């Protein structure tokens, strides 16, 4: 049952959203009352009262329409979600004070030891630096303590499938009282009482429209899928010794910020994650008083919403405006390029990488030759190679197709040939390993070996069935053995945990890549984006729901901890780091925290070589942004790039918004703000971001970019610019030396890019500001 629900949450939302849009288009408008989001920009109220135009619009629309109003947004921003006909939606869009009106989209989920690995990877070592004065940032010893203990009274809001509150990862033993500024609540629901909250889990909300088709069992903040529990414990779970998945990955489970508090907002139902519900959770979280918001969900690469119809981007803008850091997963649509989601500049967007732990399920051939495989299984086969081994194509039906048979597709194989054998299947048809297992099992096969280079690095869970995934390189040896042996035999060994695996990290094959494009119907432009940072997202052990029989091998109790993969898992790693930085530097803005995380990332793996992708190529900013997150570096970054509210408003100008719309959107817009002259997407690189991205670069002309950096270190300091640039690209920095007299001082520098000749491909490099203590690194990307 849990597997079915997880499938629904992952894949049905996209289909469901398309069906809803098609239905709306076919309905002609007047008779189709679908759910629409009416976004009205900022909420000037501090007491939860509605803007006058907001209140009047709601009153005029719904005084005769019972149950049409579903959600009202009034704390962090203004607007509502309601059942409207297409004609009504078009009419509302023209009303004063309305920024945008759009159909409610259905989004999907982007679905321990990993923290120890990150600490090993940390580029900046914490030494006994001198203590700071009271008006400066914290001392290094405190920074080290924050790195190891993490979080303090910071509050991480998790928008996901809920939580399993009884997990040991959410114990409040030894925790101080709940922060006095907390205004959230613990909603009672089905099998969930207010007493399920404690000093660790301090808030729990769920969102269900009483008139929709959501089953009664989902009228609760309790997690019935496992995803939200896994995410929450990865971000802020307390330390639990002896955690494992049935003896695999045994060790101490802990979140990135184990002292942080958790507030859960269950926004996902069996149909997916509604945009209107996500916006309601944003609105509540802003009012509740969270410090960090973590969203391991989003649109698919095939359905990228425009900025003004993107509920995640809209809610994040207002959260960041209120001082809340928003961290989102980049998506699981890799390794294809142009697939990254949630990549607007005010969101910290996270790609996924592997860690130095592997789950090996090896294939043992006759003659005891070992072929290394990947996967989690609790095989009951004997450990000696005595089971018949067959290549699937050799079991093709007489009228069958060679390609379908070699890929173990339905109706292509002879059951009598498959029965009692271990079957070698290719995976070149897009079907999952699970589907191939189902086919082989239905024909009486006793084991499956799948050839797939992409998923070879990610351990899927096959439970008790003997299955493993091997590389195409190793497949050559297997097929040679089969073809040269009269009676080939083998066995599939049960999974073993391998630690100190090398090389790691590597960018996961499923992790969405840049350059993606934020499209605009208001201007003829596409603004390209990449992930900001990468973090562990492969084979992550974290807390799980205690009633999950789906992930339970026969004869065992349900697991209390589970191993799963996705950018859903990488996102909470960074949320935990952000919470730790916030606890150490409570006055830092979300952009300063983001800058600290990005500029202290590492680009080296545990072989001290450049991080690679799943295919072995050297990773670029399109794959992992600034690099792999570190845990201690962000506490002492040396310099930070603060992206101000004016930068974000300029971004909206470049995107095509006019000043009257922007005035509605931003509560903190300066009175004298005006859009820059000749605003266009070409100017997007001017916002004060920790990286530099220039599109449509004309190599025959120079391009100059300005950046402002703030010093957040001790005493006086001098930084020198160093440049890494590809051949043909000339990069100059002026001044090439920055002299800071004290903490919080800001200085400006300019970078000029000139290409000699015609630039025909992307150019990438790095600008670093360094001294004996710090290395502040900013990647740049130029697209011709």
């Amino acid at each position: 049952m849990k597997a079915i629900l997880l499938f629904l949450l992952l894949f049905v939302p996209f289909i469901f959203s398309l069906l809803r849009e098609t239905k709306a288009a076919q309905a002609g408008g007047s008779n189709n009352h679908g759910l629409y989001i009416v976004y009205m920009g900022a909420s000037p109220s501090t007491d939860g009262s509605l803007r006058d135009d907001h209140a009047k619009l709601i009153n005029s629309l719904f005084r005769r329409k019972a149950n049409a109003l579903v959600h009202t947004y009034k704390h962090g921003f203004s607007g509502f979600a309601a059942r409207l006909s297409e004609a009504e939606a078009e009419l509302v869009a023209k009303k004063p004070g309305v920024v945008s009106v759009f159909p409610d989209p259905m989004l999907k989920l982007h679905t321990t030891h990993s923290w120890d690995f990150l600490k090993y990877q940390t580029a900046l070592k914490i030494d006994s630096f001198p203590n700071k004065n009271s008006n400066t940032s914290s001392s290094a010893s405190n920074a080290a303590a924050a790195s190891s203990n993490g979080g303090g009274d910071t509050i991480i809001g998790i928008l996901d499938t809920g939580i399993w509150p009884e997990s040991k990862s959410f114990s409040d033993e030894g925790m101080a009282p709940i922060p006095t500024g907390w205004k959230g609540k613990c909603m009672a629901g089905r099998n969930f009482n207010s007493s399920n909250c404690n000093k660790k889990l301090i808030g729990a909300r769920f969102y269900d429209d009483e008139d929709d088709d959501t089953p009664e069992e989902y009228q609760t903040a309790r997690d019935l899928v496992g995803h939200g529990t896994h995410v929450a414990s990865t971000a802020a779970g307390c330390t639990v010794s002896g955690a494992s998945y049935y003896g695999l990955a045994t060790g101490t489970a802990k979140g990135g910020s184990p002292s942080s508090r958790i507030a859960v907002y269950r926004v996902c139902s069996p149909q997916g994650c509604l945009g209107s519900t996500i916006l309601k959770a944003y609105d509540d979280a802003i009012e509740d008083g969270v410090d960090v918001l973590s969203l391991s969900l989003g649109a698919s690469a095939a359905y990228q919403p425009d900025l003004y119809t993107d509920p995640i981007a809209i809610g994040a803008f207002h959260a960041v405006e209120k001082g809340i850091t928003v961290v989102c997963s980049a998506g699981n649509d890799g390794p294809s390029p142009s697939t990254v989601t949630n990549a607007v500049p005010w969101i910290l967007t996270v790609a996924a990488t592997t860690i130095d732990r592997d789950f090996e399920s090896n294939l043992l051939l006759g003659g005891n030759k070992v072929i290394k495989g990947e996967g989690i299984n609790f095989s009951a086969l004997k450990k000696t190679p005595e089971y018949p081994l067959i290549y699937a194509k050799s079991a093709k039906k007489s009228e069958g197709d060679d390609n379908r048979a070699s890929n173990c597709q339905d109706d292509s194989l002879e059951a009598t040939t498959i029965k009692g054998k271990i079957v070698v299947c290719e995976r070149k048809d897009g079907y999952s390993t699970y589907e191939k297992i189902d086919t082989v099992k239905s024909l009486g096969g006793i084991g499956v070996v799948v050839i797939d280079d992409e998923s070879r690095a990610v351990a899927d869970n096959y439970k008790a069935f003997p299955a493993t995934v091997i590389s195409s390189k190793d497949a050559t040896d297997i097929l040679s053995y089969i073809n040269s042996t009269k009676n080939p035999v083998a066995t599939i060994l049960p999974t073993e945990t391998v630690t100190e695996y090398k090389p790691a990290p590597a960018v996961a094959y499923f992790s969405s890549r840049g350059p993606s494009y934020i499209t605009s119907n208001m201007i003829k432009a596409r603004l390209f984006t990449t992930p900001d940072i990468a973090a562990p997202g492969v084979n992550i052990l974290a807390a799980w729901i205690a009633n999950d029989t789906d992930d339970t091998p026969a004869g065992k109790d349900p697991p209390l901890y589970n191993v799963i993969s996705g950018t859903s898992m990488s996102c909470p790693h960074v949320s935990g780091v952000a919470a730790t930085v916030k606890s150490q530097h409570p006055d830092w803005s979300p952009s300063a925290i983001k800058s600290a995380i990005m500029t202290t990332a590492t680009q080296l793996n545990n072989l001290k070589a450049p991080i690679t992708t799943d295919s072995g190529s050297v990773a670029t900013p399109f794959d992992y942004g600034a690099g792999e997150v570190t845990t201690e570096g962000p506490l002492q970054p040396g310099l930070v790039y603060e992206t101000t509210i004016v930068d974000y408003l300029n971004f909206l100008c470049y995107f095509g918004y006019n000043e009257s719309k922007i005035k509605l959107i931003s509560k903190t817009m300066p009175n004298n703000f005006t859009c820059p002259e000749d605003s266009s997407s070409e100017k997007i690189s001017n916002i004060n971001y920790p990286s530099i991205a220039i599109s449509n670069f004309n190599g025959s002309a120079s391009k100059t970019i300005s950046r402002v950096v703030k010093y957040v270190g001790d005493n006086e300091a001098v930084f020198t610019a160093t440049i890494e640039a590809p051949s043909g690209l000339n990069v100059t920095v002026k001044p090439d030396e920055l002299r800071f007299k004290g903490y919080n001082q800001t200085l400006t520098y300019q970078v000029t890019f000139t290409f000699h000749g015609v630039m025909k491909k992307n150019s990438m490099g790095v600008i670093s500001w360094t001294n004996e203590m710090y290395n502040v690194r900013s990647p740049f990307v130029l697209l011709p």
Side-chain angles (χ1 to χ4, degrees), residues 108 110 299-302 330-337 339 341 509-513:
K108 65 175 185 175
H110 286 157
S300 68
N332 295 346
D333 293 312
S336 300
T339 50
T341 63
Y509 80 90
F510 57 75
S511 185
S512 291
R513 311 296 213 270

Side-chain angles (χ1 to χ4, degrees), residues 251-273:
T252 299
K254 59 183 174 181
S257 185
S259 296
S260 285
R261 320 301 176 118
I262 296 170
V264 169
Y265 303 82
R266 193 189 66 69
V267 297
C268 298
S269 74
Q271 288 76 35
C273 314

